[in-house]
Amino acid sequence: FRMFKLNRMDKIIVSQSIFEMREVPAPDLSREILYSKNIEITALVEPDMKWRLVEEFGPHCYKELSNGKLLFQGFYTDMEGLLSWILTFGDKIEILEPAKVREELLSMVTKIKKVYEKGKV
């Protein structure tokens, strides 16, 4: 059993080949399987990013603090995806836990900084 994304198909040709339909068990597409909770994170998020948290994690994923910042707690499936997600917030998020995510993010930002300090265009 294979699944194909239609938008990735290129140079499709019509063929005279015929195939026999067969019963295929439906894959387990439950939320727990598709979005496993591998990395639990805690972060401080600027108030103007509340819409992002609500859109992506629901209205109960954060607590509003007395200083207006949002204390976000959630799960992410993989480190690479998590780091990419964090970077989309720019300076509007600070990861509090786990330390490993902070370390990975700092390493990535340091590498990005080196690219831009070279001054090549």
Side-chain angles (χ1 to χ4, degrees), residues 7 14 18 25 31-32 41 50 52 58 60 63 78 90 98 100 103 107 109-110 119-121:
N7 64 344
V14 177
I18 299 174
R31 187 171 188 82
E32 294 75 26
I41 63 167
K50 181 191 293 188
R52 288 270 319 266
H60 305 293
K63 293 179 185 172
D78 63 288
K100 179 69 175 164
E103 293 163 10
S107 173
V109 170
T110 301
K120 294 183 181 178
V121 177

Coordinates of all heavy atoms in Angstrom, one line a residue, residues 7 14 18 25 31-32 41 50 52 58 60 63 78 90 98 100 103 107 109-110 119-121:
N7 N 0.2 16.7 -5.9 CA 1.0 17.9 -6.3 C 2.5 17.6 -6.5 O 3.2 18.4 -7.0 CB 0.8 19.0 -5.3 CG 1.4 18.7 -3.9 OD1 1.7 17.6 -3.6 ND2 1.6 19.8 -3.1
V14 N -1.1 8.8 -19.6 CA -2.3 7.8 -19.6 C -1.8 6.5 -20.2 O -1.2 6.5 -21.3 CB -3.5 8.4 -20.4 CG1 -4.6 7.4 -20.4 CG2 -3.9 9.7 -19.7
I18 N -4.3 -2.0 -17.0 CA -5.5 -2.2 -16.1 C -5.0 -2.9 -14.9 O -4.2 -3.8 -14.9 CB -6.6 -3.0 -16.9 CG1 -7.0 -2.3 -18.1 CG2 -7.7 -3.3 -16.0 CD1 -7.9 -3.1 -19.0
P25 N -6.3 -2.3 3.8 CA -6.6 -1.8 5.1 C -6.3 -0.3 5.2 O -5.3 0.1 4.8 CB -5.8 -2.6 6.1 CG -4.6 -3.1 5.3 CD -5.1 -3.2 3.8
R31 N -4.6 10.8 15.6 CA -3.8 12.0 16.0 C -2.5 11.5 16.8 O -1.4 12.1 16.6 CB -4.6 12.9 16.8 CG -3.9 14.2 17.2 CD -5.0 15.2 17.8 NE -4.4 16.5 18.0 CZ -4.3 17.4 17.0 NH1 -4.8 17.2 15.8 NH2 -3.8 18.6 17.3
E32 N -2.7 10.5 17.6 CA -1.5 10.0 18.4 C -0.4 9.4 17.5 O 0.7 9.5 17.9 CB -2.0 9.0 19.4 CG -2.9 9.5 20.5 CD -4.4 9.8 20.0 OE1 -4.8 9.1 19.0 OE2 -5.0 10.6 20.6
I41 N 7.6 21.0 25.4 CA 8.3 22.3 25.5 C 7.5 23.2 26.4 O 6.2 23.2 26.5 CB 8.6 22.9 24.2 CG1 7.3 23.3 23.4 CG2 9.5 22.1 23.3 CD1 7.5 24.2 22.2
K50 N -0.4 35.4 20.3 CA -1.5 34.5 20.9 C -2.2 33.8 19.8 O -2.5 32.6 19.9 CB -2.4 35.3 21.7 CG -3.5 34.5 22.3 CD -4.6 35.3 22.9 CE -4.2 36.0 24.1 NZ -5.4 36.7 24.8
R52 N -1.2 32.7 17.0 CA -0.5 31.5 16.5 C -0.7 30.3 17.4 O -0.9 29.2 16.9 CB 1.0 31.8 16.4 CG 1.5 32.8 15.3 CD 1.8 32.1 14.0 NE 2.6 30.9 14.1 CZ 3.9 30.8 14.0 NH1 4.7 31.9 13.9 NH2 4.5 29.6 14.0
G58 N -4.6 25.3 20.0 CA -5.8 25.4 20.7 C -5.8 26.5 21.8 O -4.7 26.9 22.2
H60 N -6.3 26.4 24.9 CA -6.0 26.1 26.3 C -4.5 25.7 26.4 O -4.1 25.0 27.4 CB -6.9 25.0 26.8 CG -8.3 25.3 26.7 ND1 -8.9 26.3 27.4 CD2 -9.3 24.8 25.9 CE1 -10.2 26.4 27.1 NE2 -10.4 25.5 26.2
K63 N -1.0 30.0 29.4 CA -1.5 30.8 30.6 C -1.0 32.2 30.4 O 0.2 32.4 30.1 CB -1.1 30.2 31.9 CG -1.6 28.9 32.2 CD -1.1 28.4 33.6 CE -1.6 27.0 33.8 NZ -1.0 26.3 35.0
D78 N 9.2 16.3 16.4 CA 10.6 16.1 16.1 C 11.4 17.3 16.3 O 10.8 18.4 16.2 CB 10.8 15.5 14.7 CG 10.3 16.5 13.7 OD1 9.1 16.7 13.5 OD2 11.2 17.1 13.0
G90 N 10.7 34.4 15.4 CA 11.7 35.4 15.5 C 12.0 35.6 17.0 O 12.3 34.6 17.7
P98 N 12.7 22.1 27.1 CA 13.9 21.5 27.7 C 15.2 22.2 27.3 O 15.2 22.8 26.3 CB 13.9 20.0 27.3 CG 13.2 20.1 25.9 CD 12.2 21.2 26.0
K100 N 17.8 21.0 26.1 CA 18.3 20.5 24.8 C 17.8 21.3 23.7 O 18.5 21.6 22.7 CB 17.9 19.0 24.7 CG 18.4 18.4 23.4 CD 19.9 18.2 23.4 CE 20.3 17.4 22.1 NZ 21.7 17.6 21.9
E103 N 19.7 24.6 23.6 CA 21.1 24.3 23.1 C 21.1 24.2 21.6 O 21.9 24.8 20.9 CB 21.7 23.1 23.7 CG 22.0 23.2 25.2 CD 22.2 21.9 25.9 OE1 22.3 20.9 25.2 OE2 22.2 21.9 27.2
S107 N 22.7 26.7 18.8 CA 23.7 26.2 17.8 C 23.3 26.6 16.4 O 24.1 27.1 15.6 CB 23.8 24.7 18.0 OG 24.6 24.2 16.9
V109 N 21.2 29.1 15.5 CA 21.3 30.6 15.3 C 22.7 31.0 15.1 O 23.0 31.9 14.3 CB 20.6 31.3 16.5 CG1 20.9 32.8 16.5 CG2 19.1 31.0 16.5
T110 N 23.7 30.4 15.8 CA 25.1 30.7 15.7 C 25.5 30.4 14.3 O 26.3 31.2 13.7 CB 25.9 29.9 16.7 OG1 25.5 30.2 18.0 CG2 27.4 30.2 16.6
G119 N 29.1 38.3 4.7 CA 28.8 39.5 3.9 C 28.8 39.2 2.4 O 28.8 40.1 1.6
K120 N 28.7 37.9 2.0 CA 28.6 37.6 0.6 C 27.2 37.8 0.1 O 26.2 37.5 0.8 CB 29.0 36.1 0.4 CG 30.5 35.9 0.7 CD 30.8 34.5 0.4 CE 32.3 34.2 0.7 NZ 32.7 32.9 0.5
V121 N 27.1 38.3 -1.1 CA 25.8 38.5 -1.7 C 25.7 37.8 -3.0 O 26.6 37.6 -3.7 CB 25.5 40.0 -1.9 CG1 24.1 40.2 -2.6 CG2 25.5 40.7 -0.6

